[in-house]
Amino acid sequence: MIQVRYSTSPTSAETATTADLRENFLVGDLFASGEVRGTYTHDDRMVVGGAVPGTGQLGLPAWTEVLGTETHLERRELGVINVGAAGHVVVDGEKFELDHLDGLYVSRGSEVSFVGAEAAFYFVSATAHATYPTQALRHTEVAPVALGSAEAANERNLFRYAWGQDLQTSVLQFGVTVVAGGSVWNTFPPHLHDRRTEIYCYVDLDEQDRVFHLMGRPGETRHLVLRNREAVISPPWSIHSGAGTGSYAFIWAMAGENNAYTDLSPVALEDL
């Protein structure tokens, strides 16, 4: 099953109802046992999805009616992060074991399947102009970048899996940010990516907790309320920031014209 989301203008978000915002930008119900589900966004042609193998093995769907190719990765590259218990991903017959929050970059043209009774795989694909090697990205082996402070309630560790250095990709960047206990804010102060789309997937929330995600142009922000394992699409004109009611992490993924990690525009708080 795959859904399609069309590009929207910033002015449409400014007058949208809550239901409109959720329909256009929130991606829910990605994780269902025994299924692979996805959403295709026309913003930078990204695909986000969830695969929950259960007791079987699930292949990465071609979704030919949307992607227009015989296989999913015929013209795409893929990032995978396991948000469940241990499992493995099979890429062209090679097995990659992934623990919780471990990642995997998969090269263009590969065949992919997912295995793991308690695993839940979040994945993002983007169009690729070249083929680069598949590589496992262990969460415990990625040096975190410490950001924020406890005093500002935005202390967090940024784990950069694919970010334009060390690992070569065509356009895809992704990683995990873990918010420290007692802090609530992520990506604050916020910024914009004028040449890239970014998608957040919030994970490791307790059932009763929520993230209040801010989006929209500076000065015209709106908010969405997200549960565990829900994602939100941030077009290039939108900030992407939020605050949680309990501990959480989020997976970030970007694709677009420029994959320089520092290609962003800070937003001053007085402009919000």
Side-chain angles (χ1 to χ4, degrees):
M1 181 182 77
I2 186 167
Q3 299 180 358
V4 176
R5 302 291 175 87
Y6 292 96
S7 299
T8 55
S9 73
T11 54
S12 68
E14 292 162 12
T15 58
T17 66
T18 298
D20 291 335
L21 291 175
R22 295 178 70 86
E23 181 179 356
N24 288 321
F25 302 104
L26 188 144
V27 181
D29 299 323
L30 280 178
F31 299 92
S33 182
E35 295 184 34
V36 181
R37 296 182 175 183
T39 293
Y40 174 95
T41 173
H42 283 266
D43 288 304
D44 287 306
R45 309 290 177 176
M46 297 176 73
V47 173
V48 295
V52 185
T55 57
Q57 178 167 323
L58 297 174
L60 179 65
W63 286 320
T64 301
E65 71 279 10
V66 173
L67 303 183
T69 53
E70 293 301 315
T71 65
H72 190 114
L73 298 183
E74 183 176 325
R75 297 195 296 259
R76 289 177 165 265
E77 58 190 355
L78 182 76
V80 181
I81 294 181
N82 185 6
V83 299
H88 63 268
V89 180
V90 180
V91 180
D92 294 334
E94 184 177 358
K95 185 177 179 180
F96 293 88
E97 298 284 353
L98 300 184
D99 288 327
H100 186 67
L101 294 187
D102 282 351
L104 179 69
Y105 170 77
V106 182
S107 66
R108 184 182 67 169
S110 301
E111 292 288 342
V112 177
S113 60
F114 306 95
V115 182
E118 301 298 327
F121 300 99
Y122 175 74
F123 61 85
V124 182
S125 73
T127 57
H129 64 273
T131 303
Y132 299 107
T134 295
Q135 183 174 326
L137 304 157
R138 308 295 178 195
H139 183 67
T140 56
E141 296 175 2
V142 176
V145 178
L147 299 172
S149 67
E151 292 77 12
N154 66 349
E155 185 179 10
R156 58 204 190 273
N157 281 323
L158 169 69
F159 295 85
R160 298 177 295 191
Y161 290 0
W163 60 292
Q165 298 185 32
D166 301 325
L167 173 67
Q168 193 168 15
T169 68
S170 287
V171 299
L172 184 62
Q173 296 187 6
F174 66 98
V176 178
T177 298
V178 180
V179 178
S183 285
V184 297
W185 285 101
N186 68 70
T187 321
F188 201 81
H191 57 256
L192 295 169
H193 294 290
D194 194 46
R195 285 161 290 279
R196 288 181 290 180
T197 296
E198 184 159 14
I199 299 175
Y200 280 8
C201 181
Y202 289 101
V203 298
D204 291 351
L205 280 79
D206 287 340
E207 180 64 29
Q208 74 276 11
D209 284 323
R210 298 291 186 270
V211 171
F212 289 74
H213 180 89
L214 300 178
M215 63 159 294
R217 290 193 293 188
E220 292 289 349
T221 58
R222 301 295 182 265
H223 76 275
L224 293 166
V225 181
L226 279 76
R227 299 178 297 177
N228 187 43
R229 297 184 181 178
E230 290 188 324
V232 59
I233 300 166
S234 298
W237 47 262
S238 176
I239 69 165
H240 31 280
S241 181
T245 62
S247 62
Y248 68 99
F250 67 95
I251 299 166
W252 47 269
M254 295 182 283
E257 180 182 8
N258 189 347
N259 65 352
Y261 185 76
T262 55
D263 182 18
L264 55 84
S265 302
V267 175
L269 294 187
E270 56 265 29
D271 292 333
L272 293 179

